[in-house]
Amino acid sequence: MRSHFCGLVDESMIGQTVVLCGWADVARDLGGVCFIDLRDHEGIVQVVAEPAGTEGNAEVVAAAQKVGYEDCLRITGIVRARHAVNAKIRTGKVEVVATRIEVLNKAEPLPFHAHENAGEDIRLKYRYLDLRRPEMQKMMRTRIRLVQALRRWLDARGFQDIETPILTKATPEGARDFLVPARMHPGEFYALPQSPQLFKQILMVAGFDRYYQIARCFRDEALRADRQLEFTQLDMEFAWVREQDVQDAVEQMIREVFREVIGVELAEPFPRMTWAEAMRRYGSDKPDLRIGLELADVADLVKDCQFGVFTAAANDPHGRVAALRIPGGATLSRKQIDEYAAHAAKFGAKGLAYAKIDAGGAVTSPIAKFFDGDGFAALLQATGIGNGDIVFFGAGAYNAVSDFMGALRLKAGRDFGLVQEGWKPLWVTDFPMFEWDEEAQRYVALHHPFTAPAVDDIADLKANARTAVSRGYDMVLNGNEIGGGSIRIHRPDMQSAVFELLGIGREEAEAKFGFLLDALRFGAPPHGGIAFGIDRIAALMAGTESIRDVIAFPKTTTAQCLMTGAPSPVPEAQLSEVHVAVKPPLR
């Protein structure tokens, strides 16, 4: 139907007849001479319809005058040099003088204009129109180039692209599974994979050595800007490796892909930090190193003060009292300080203390009265506070304080313009093996139950489970975890011991993971891997904060597809075929 793409018409074609297809981005009638900006996925070219007696004719002008916004057109015309060059577009030195205009499909009035900032709900309801916008086309094509670059890198290095099942066994650990009723097995269910984790480990046992897959994964969990019910990850696994082998390979991959796709040079090598150091300094296991603010531990200075919240945490071996100094923060009003406290409360804070020093050196703090002698002055000195600054204090359980103070650090960095330009990659290593779940009164795996501990001795692991370190590692970029992996457990006795520590008994382990335990008994090699979030990396490359902008058909934060109306009720007859009955929700 066409000879060229709109956005690729250039000076080399002057004098040629071209046939173009696209949408009317703009249509203007200037007293008998009509201009149409014709757009396709490659860009825009200006089309001119001129009256009879020049290079056009009255019939073409009449057709142009009827063209509406987003009409689907096929235009034949002759390329000529443009009198008024438009340097903002690639085709700005040429235009096409129309000799024929065909309306292939008339567009009804649109619910929103491509160049307006429409609300996300209406954009998602009419996603096909949203995706037609040049801004969205650019972001989606960034994602496409990312995936192409990853595949080229992996294929060139002998990685094998192997598909793993979408219908698999339910093995809930962490997020909820999506369940699929099995029609031929009444009362039984498949699960959609949260990741290909067990299958890729079994591929290493099977001798495939280097595996990858651009895998679709599913987790029935709460949504936010960087989470979706279904998402895409680059899944990788290596046999006969240690941590450094995996990290060196994928760091090179990410560095080369960023260079190819968006022309960015990442640090070489990436800096490294243990989980413990990241939590201590930044209150996060995915610290944004573009923000220079750091937490300071001040428990030793408040153990004997009269403020019970501080003393309780300072004298608890699992407690923490941390301080965050914000340069220039003394300008915050009491109302704004309360807003910071409310923000910290969203992340678990039960209160937030502060002290500030104005430009003249006057100190304001509601907690100063709880200190005797020079105690408060020593505390302020330890935080590094100066004239014009504010310092916030958090106290409580170590991880809880780290979480809400880390969130406060990010907010302060954004609010006070302390986020540096550029890219700050990081390896976070030496994660805890387990977390203690107070509610369930058992350990849970920090990464997943198949991550190897740093110790090889089972007795040592059991005796020191609370402080055990795993062989897990995450790649972080600008405060986003873009990849997470580990060396896996390859010995069946160690895997059984980890299941036991997680409260998974022998019978339950056999029922859920018997196939894995069997595989490990037949000469499983040492192996490890990593998975990268394609959606998150694409969003970072495209410069958007929401992964929904780089997913063609995402769900809303209420887990709905506004375009199709999913999820939706299913007819009773269809439910009966799969032996499922629906109970009405409890009111």
Side-chain angles (χ1 to χ4, degrees):
M1 289 188 72
R2 62 186 170 193
S3 63
H4 298 82
F5 291 111
C6 299
L8 301 183
V9 178
D10 62 23
E11 293 170 284
S12 69
M13 302 173 192
I14 289 175
Q16 294 183 25
T17 296
V18 294
V19 182
L20 308 174
C21 293
W23 290 275
D25 192 76
V26 175
R28 307 181 299 277
D29 182 357
L30 303 182
V33 178
C34 296
F35 294 89
I36 299 168
D37 286 350
L38 192 67
R39 186 190 73 246
D40 63 14
H41 77 282
E42 289 288 358
I44 288 175
V45 67
Q46 178 172 280
V47 175
V48 184
E50 298 179 330
T54 62
E55 298 175 53
N57 56 64
E59 183 181 338
V60 171
V61 171
Q65 289 171 332
K66 296 177 182 178
V67 169
Y69 176 57
E70 291 299 303
D71 283 354
C72 186
L73 307 176
R74 181 172 185 258
I75 295 179
T76 304
I78 301 168
V79 181
R80 75 178 182 194
R82 187 166 169 171
H83 299 300
V85 171
N86 182 354
K88 294 181 179 180
I89 58 175
R90 185 165 46 178
T91 62
K93 293 182 178 180
V94 295
E95 61 189 8
V96 176
V97 181
T99 57
R100 186 180 183 190
I101 297 176
E102 302 170 69
V103 178
L104 302 177
N105 201 350
K106 193 76 178 169
E108 295 183 5
L110 271 63
F112 62 91
H113 195 286
H115 301 291
E116 72 179 0
N117 187 21
E120 188 177 54
D121 281 359
I122 196 167
R123 288 174 50 208
L124 293 180
K125 180 175 175 60
Y126 299 96
R127 187 62 165 178
Y128 37 86
L129 297 178
D130 188 38
L131 289 172
R132 198 187 290 175
R133 298 188 302 126
E135 179 186 1
M136 289 300 295
Q137 289 267 319
K138 181 179 178 181
M139 285 196 280
M140 288 302 300
R141 293 177 81 175
T142 297
R143 180 196 179 104
I144 291 164
R145 290 197 304 274
L146 165 64
V147 173
Q148 290 171 338
L150 289 168
R151 286 194 182 279
R152 280 194 296 271
W153 193 94
L154 291 159
D155 292 341
R157 288 159 180 81
F159 283 82
Q160 300 169 89
D161 183 359
I162 303 175
E163 295 177 345
T164 54
I166 291 296
L167 295 177
T168 184
K169 184 180 178 65
T171 54
E173 271 296 323
R176 295 182 184 90
D177 286 327
F178 278 102
L179 301 177
V180 180
R183 181 181 61 82
M184 292 182 288
H185 299 273
E188 297 184 349
F189 295 82
Y190 301 104
L192 303 183
Q194 295 188 29
S195 86
Q197 181 63 44
L198 300 185
F199 288 104
K200 67 178 181 179
Q201 288 190 238
I202 288 171
L203 285 170
M204 297 303 100
V205 181
F208 283 94
D209 202 84
R210 293 290 186 274
Y211 143 94
Y212 87 93
Q213 181 182 186
I214 306 293
R216 296 291 285 169
C217 303
F218 308 85
R219 293 179 187 172
D220 189 1
E221 61 184 358
L223 276 68
R224 51 182 188 262
D226 65 345
R227 294 281 177 91
Q228 283 278 296
L229 300 177
E230 51 183 316
F231 57 94
T232 306
Q233 68 184 36
L234 167 59
D235 205 53
M236 302 174 67
E237 199 76 5
F238 307 65
W240 318 102
V241 288
R242 297 186 178 93
E243 293 92 325
Q244 197 70 42
D245 301 316
V246 178
Q247 293 163 11
D248 287 348
V250 300
E251 181 179 319
Q252 180 191 359
M253 176 186 73
I254 291 296
R255 192 179 296 109
E256 292 186 17
V257 166
F258 266 76
R259 181 184 303 125
E260 178 181 342
V261 177
I262 59 172
V264 164
E265 293 289 340
L266 298 178
E268 184 176 2
F270 291 0
R272 310 173 73 82
M273 186 179 297
T274 65
W275 176 89
E277 182 183 357
M279 297 300 287
R280 176 176 57 81
R281 295 174 60 187
Y282 303 108
S284 172
D285 58 6
K286 50 178 187 288
D288 189 343
L289 299 186
R290 296 174 303 165
I291 300 172
L293 303 178
E294 294 193 22
L295 306 183
D297 285 303
V298 294
D300 288 345
L301 296 170
V302 300
K303 283 184 176 181
D304 300 319
C305 76
Q306 304 303 309
F307 189 34
V309 175
F310 279 9
T311 55
N315 290 286
D316 182 345
H318 303 297
R320 183 177 196 186
V321 184
L324 175 68
R325 180 184 70 90
I326 305 172
T331 58
L332 290 175
S333 67
R334 182 55 195 262
K335 181 175 182 293
Q336 290 171 316
I337 290 172
D338 289 343
E339 289 171 355
Y340 269 71
H343 182 76
K346 295 177 184 177
F347 296 87
K350 295 179 180 178
L352 198 65
Y354 73 91
K356 65 178 181 177
I357 304 179
D358 67 20
V363 178
T364 303
S365 175
I367 62 170
K369 60 187 177 184
F370 296 108
F371 290 80
D372 296 327
D374 297 330
F376 191 64
L379 175 63
L380 294 183
Q381 185 177 6
T383 69
I385 190 172
N387 289 8
D389 298 345
I390 191 170
V391 60
F392 286 108
F393 299 94
Y398 191 93
N399 286 349
V401 171
S402 300
D403 287 344
F404 70 73
M405 292 297 283
L408 207 66
R409 172 182 172 270
L410 294 178
K411 177 175 171 57
R414 291 189 294 266
D415 290 352
F416 285 85
L418 302 175
V419 183
Q420 301 169 15
E421 293 293 325
W423 301 85
K424 295 286 187 177
L426 172 72
W427 280 112
V428 177
T429 65
D430 300 322
F431 282 79
M433 186 75 182
F434 307 109
E435 285 182 307
W436 179 254
D437 187 325
E438 286 289 346
E439 186 175 338
Q441 286 294 294
R442 70 178 183 92
Y443 288 113
V444 294
L446 194 70
H447 268 83
H448 54 60
F450 318 108
T451 296
V455 297
D456 289 328
D457 183 79
I458 292 174
D460 187 349
L461 177 65
K462 289 183 175 181
N464 300 286
R466 186 177 285 272
T467 57
V469 172
S470 79
R471 298 177 71 181
Y473 39 82
D474 284 356
M475 185 184 288
V476 176
L477 183 60
N478 289 3
N480 297 272
E481 178 210 327
I482 62 170
S486 67
I487 298 301
R488 323 302 187 188
I489 298 169
H490 70 281
R491 287 168 31 205
D493 58 341
M494 178 62 80
Q495 186 64 78
S496 294
V498 169
F499 284 153
E500 182 182 335
L501 283 165
L502 294 170
I504 302 172
R506 184 171 299 179
E507 289 186 9
E508 184 183 2
E510 278 297 329
K512 289 182 176 179
F513 307 108
F515 62 97
L516 173 67
L517 292 169
D518 286 345
L520 297 182
R521 293 184 183 107
F522 293 104
H527 59 283
I530 194 167
F532 287 95
I534 296 291
D535 310 307
R536 288 184 187 176
I537 297 174
L540 285 168
M541 286 181 163
T544 178
E545 293 186 358
S546 174
I547 63 171
R548 292 190 290 277
D549 288 335
V550 292
I551 298 173
F553 302 104
K555 305 291 189 292
T556 66
T557 53
T558 56
Q560 294 175 296
C561 174
L562 298 181
M563 186 183 73
T564 64
S568 58
V570 173
E572 193 66 39
Q574 193 173 351
L575 288 174
S576 65
E577 285 183 347
V578 292
H579 316 285
V580 169
V582 175
K583 293 174 64 176
L586 296 174
R587 298 292 181 183

